[in-house]
Amino acid sequence: MNSLLKLSSLLLLSMGAFAAHAASQSVTVNYTLTIPTVCTLSGNGTSINKALPHEGTAVNQSIDVKCNVPYSIKAQSANSKGVNQSAVISTANPTLNIPYNITLTGGPNAVNVNSGVPVTVAPSATTRTDSYTLSAKTPTAIAIEDYIAGIYTDAVMVEISY
């Protein structure tokens, strides 16, 4: 019996020793996903040629912008005649010009052409494509026989900054 008591005491003491040495360790792994800045402008780096109708009908060009950061957009014509107005100018005689209206509509914010002030646009929670339409037309139909024949040109640059 004595030896049974000694054995029981020894087992209890041994179990206590194991319990006293129990511990835990941990490691925390932090994950980071970096999304780089991405902005795209349809037709970027290209020159698009459009013929301005003399009947007073509009000619349109679609422009799409997709950014995952805030961006600013502006439109400026080479031959500005004021906000949303420009002119095509004769390549043979720069004093000859034909006025026309130019607008940039659509997108989340209004953009005035030739205002010199860019419009800032914030990205949505799920980045979307902002579609704009650049539209040009003469205020009224023009009688082409009233103008000297030749090529009349203007260039409108749509620019985004981010």
Side-chain angles (χ1 to χ4, degrees), residues 52-76:
L52 185 63
H54 65 85
E55 308 89 19
T57 57
V59 61
N60 299 319
Q61 176 63 47
S62 294
I63 297 168
D64 294 329
V65 177
K66 186 171 185 174
C67 284
N68 63 358
V69 294
Y71 69 92
S72 61
I73 183 169
K74 70 176 183 176
Q76 185 71 37

Side-chain angles (χ1 to χ4, degrees), residues 24-128:
S24 67
Q25 295 183 9
S26 66
V27 64
T28 301
V29 178
N30 296 312
Y31 292 99
T32 302
L33 172 63
T34 302
I35 306 288
T37 299
V38 178
C39 281
T40 59
L41 174 65
S42 64
N44 183 32
T46 63
S47 181
I48 301 165
N49 297 315
K50 293 281 187 174
L52 185 63
H54 65 85
E55 308 89 19
T57 57
V59 61
N60 299 319
Q61 176 63 47
S62 294
I63 297 168
D64 294 329
V65 177
K66 186 171 185 174
C67 284
N68 63 358
V69 294
Y71 69 92
S72 61
I73 183 169
K74 70 176 183 176
Q76 185 71 37
S77 69
N79 304 325
S80 174
K81 298 294 181 190
V83 175
N84 293 331
Q85 297 182 2
S86 196
V88 285
I89 295 178
S90 169
T91 55
N93 184 349
T95 62
L96 302 175
N97 66 77
I98 301 169
Y100 72 98
N101 299 323
I102 184 89
T103 58
L104 185 60
T105 57
N109 300 36
V111 179
N112 287 319
V113 179
N114 297 328
S115 73
V117 179
V119 173
T120 301
V121 179
S124 64
T126 57
T127 303
R128 67 180 182 281

